[in-house]
Amino acid sequence: MAGRWWSNSAVTHALMALFAMGSWISVNSLWVELPVIVKVLPEGWNLPAFLSVLIAFGNLGPIAVTVTHHCAPGRLNERLVIHSIQVLAAVTSAFLAIFWSYTVTVAGVERSLPFLLFTFVLAFVCCTSNVTFLPFMFSYPPQYIRTFFIGQGLSALLPCIVALGQGVGELECKTVNGTSQPHFLKENFPADHFFWFLFVMLSVSALSFLALTKRKTQSAQLTAAPESENNSAGKSAEETQPFQNGGTPVSEEQVEVEVRPAAPTFWTCHNIYLLMLLAVSNALTNGVLPSVQTYACLPFGTMTFHLSVVLGNIANPVACFLAMFFVMRSSSGLGFLSLAGGVFAAFLMALAALSPCPPSFAKHFVVVSWILFTGLFSYLKVVIGTLLHEAGHTALLWCGISIQAGSLVGALTMFPLINIYRVFKSSEYCADNQCM
């Protein structure tokens, strides 16, 4: 009974989702906790810029993995790499929970060096997970990669829910000297408790991967036993009748050399098209739109902003779950989905560009637009991942590279626009923007 329960496919799906949850939960947790930690660390609201740069440097991990695959194909032990980065992430999160508020004086300026160092390590792990977790999924049937993307959706949803329970960003407007000013409420629990939650989630992810590898090893051993018996029986029969072919004697002259057909190339127009769609969708969902979410939503109030964040994060795993039942294989259909998602992305970018005075009618559409934008591109990513799974291990490696490259390009594109050229203007809390 216990063995039957342990080998149930539902258990595999659950473990897969928990394993995938650990892929980006670290970076997502750091972003949602920013309103709390900026009040303590000396960098203040310059910290998001530091975080963006450190995440960009985290791409050294995917570069190293890709170079290794190119220079020494088949030599990289993906399971060992995954175990290593998961342990590294869990240990780093524990140190983060203890030392995040410590500061060091560098060149006469107080800096939160421990926090920045731990952030880089966690970003390195998250970026590397895209080019290690996905290729590992090739050893499982295609339906499990959809569960994998559901788990990745949870890596954004769970920190968001915990941060809401913590009371991050909650404020009330108080009138002081005739002007309305924001007063941020004290959080329900401190940042170190939130980082201990991150440690627990990363540990659960690591244990889930360990359980997956253990179950796979046991399954391989059970299937290997009957196969070895059949092989030995077949071998003994061949030894007694070495030149029998279906009961008909053959001579050596009749034996033909088997010519194996050349393996099909991965770089077809269809696969390149899928990788381009994947890169563009991740540039928008992981780089461009998250950078301007506050500009697009805060002019309509903090409730609108929170709804767009929470419901958008819920739309991600829901869309992945829908892909469990229906996979769109049509190239034109995938192009239409990306075009529809691009329309909502353009609408949200327009609202961000018009901040702090967007048109009032947009208030009724901004939250729905975030939900549809996130849901459409989440479904698109799952479907493309499923199709690339069918193309082989190399395809999943390039799937991870495209995800990471698109996210990096999107983030690097928005960084100078927001932090250097100040293209977007923020809406102040509790302030009357006097928009006409």
Side-chain angles (χ1 to χ4, degrees):
M1 176 89 56
R4 195 181 309 167
W5 172 87
W6 178 245
S7 59
N8 194 297
S9 62
V11 177
T12 306
H13 281 286
L15 292 174
M16 191 67 68
L18 292 173
F19 158 59
M21 174 196 64
S23 58
W24 277 91
I25 194 171
S26 301
V27 168
N28 291 331
S29 297
L30 291 172
W31 279 116
V32 300
E33 194 67 5
L34 270 180
V36 179
I37 59 181
V38 295
K39 294 186 290 185
V40 178
L41 298 183
E43 289 80 6
W45 276 108
N46 289 324
L47 204 58
F50 283 94
L51 190 57
S52 299
V53 172
L54 291 172
I55 293 173
F57 277 110
N59 284 278
L60 292 172
I63 292 173
V65 172
T66 305
V67 170
T68 303
H69 275 293
H70 178 75
C71 298
R75 299 287 184 87
L76 188 67
N77 189 332
E78 286 171 350
R79 290 191 181 187
L80 181 60
V81 173
I82 294 174
H83 282 305
S84 300
I85 62 175
Q86 284 185 320
V87 171
L88 177 62
V91 172
T92 302
S93 63
F95 280 115
L96 182 65
I98 299 172
F99 301 109
W100 73 272
S101 60
Y102 283 56
T103 59
V104 177
T105 302
V106 179
V109 180
E110 191 177 16
R111 295 292 184 190
S112 54
L113 189 60
F115 176 83
L116 296 175
L117 176 62
F118 298 144
T119 297
F120 167 73
V121 175
L122 292 175
F124 178 87
V125 170
C126 290
C127 294
T128 307
S129 69
N130 273 341
V131 293
T132 52
F133 286 18
L134 276 170
F136 168 78
M137 293 301 301
F138 181 64
S139 59
Y140 286 87
Q143 63 266 26
Y144 288 104
I145 199 168
R146 299 161 209 166
T147 306
F148 176 86
F149 281 106
I150 293 176
Q152 279 200 331
L154 294 177
S155 71
L157 178 60
L158 293 180
C160 181
I161 293 176
V162 174
L164 288 176
Q166 185 185 15
V168 173
E170 291 186 358
L171 59 86
E172 59 182 4
C173 298
K174 292 185 176 181
T175 302
V176 179
N177 297 328
T179 60
S180 182
Q181 297 181 358
H183 174 70
F184 288 90
L185 303 179
K186 184 177 176 58
E187 293 79 23
N188 297 323
F189 53 86
D192 54 344
H193 291 187
F194 183 89
F195 292 135
W196 281 119
F197 154 78
L198 174 61
F199 167 76
V200 171
M201 292 295 99
L202 289 171
S203 300
V204 169
S205 176
L207 292 174
S208 298
F209 179 70
L210 183 63
L212 284 171
T213 56
K214 183 70 174 177
R215 294 172 83 252
K216 202 165 186 62
T217 302
Q218 290 176 348
S219 176
Q221 290 174 348
L222 290 175
T223 55
E227 286 180 1
S228 61
E229 293 177 2
N230 294 335
N231 291 338
S232 61
K235 184 178 179 181
S236 62
E238 291 175 0
E239 290 174 352
T240 55
Q241 298 176 337
F243 296 103
Q244 293 283 334
N245 183 15
T248 304
V250 296
S251 62
E252 293 184 2
E253 289 80 4
Q254 292 174 299
V255 178
E256 297 181 358
V257 178
E258 180 183 359
V259 179
R260 295 185 179 179
T265 179
F266 164 70
W267 295 106
T268 62
C269 293
H270 180 255
N271 288 341
I272 294 174
Y273 170 71
L274 293 180
L275 291 177
M276 290 179 61
L277 285 183
L278 192 62
V280 171
S281 65
N282 280 277
L284 292 174
T285 57
N286 298 341
V288 176
L289 269 300
S291 302
V292 298
Q293 189 168 20
T294 54
Y295 299 100
C297 299
L298 271 181
F300 303 107
T302 55
M303 179 58 68
T304 300
F305 174 70
H306 284 303
L307 284 176
S308 66
V309 171
V310 176
L311 296 180
N313 285 327
I314 291 175
N316 188 336
V318 169
C320 297
F321 181 74
L322 293 177
M324 298 284 290
F325 306 98
F326 174 69
V327 175
M328 180 178 291
R329 296 179 175 272
S330 169
S331 297
S332 57
L334 295 177
F336 176 78
L337 283 180
S338 63
L339 181 62
V343 169
F344 289 110
F347 173 70
L348 294 169
M349 283 295 295
L351 292 182
L354 293 172
S355 177
C357 301
S360 58
F361 76 87
K363 181 177 183 179
H364 306 289
F365 303 102
V366 60
V367 175
V368 175
S369 296
W370 271 105
I371 294 173
L372 294 176
F373 160 75
T374 306
L376 286 172
F377 277 119
S378 297
Y379 179 82
L380 182 71
K381 287 187 281 187
V382 178
V383 171
I384 293 177
T386 302
L387 297 178
L388 292 176
H389 180 281
E390 298 171 358
H393 180 274
T394 302
L396 285 180
L397 173 64
W398 281 102
C399 177
I401 294 173
S402 297
I403 290 174
Q404 197 56 41
S407 303
L408 177 62
V409 170
L412 292 181
T413 301
M414 298 306 296
F415 181 82
L417 296 178
I418 295 174
N419 297 285
I420 298 177
Y421 300 109
R422 310 290 180 180
V423 173
F424 302 94
K425 297 179 181 179
S426 60
S427 173
E428 297 181 4
Y429 293 105
C430 302
D432 184 7
N433 296 309
Q434 297 180 351
C435 297
M436 301 301 295

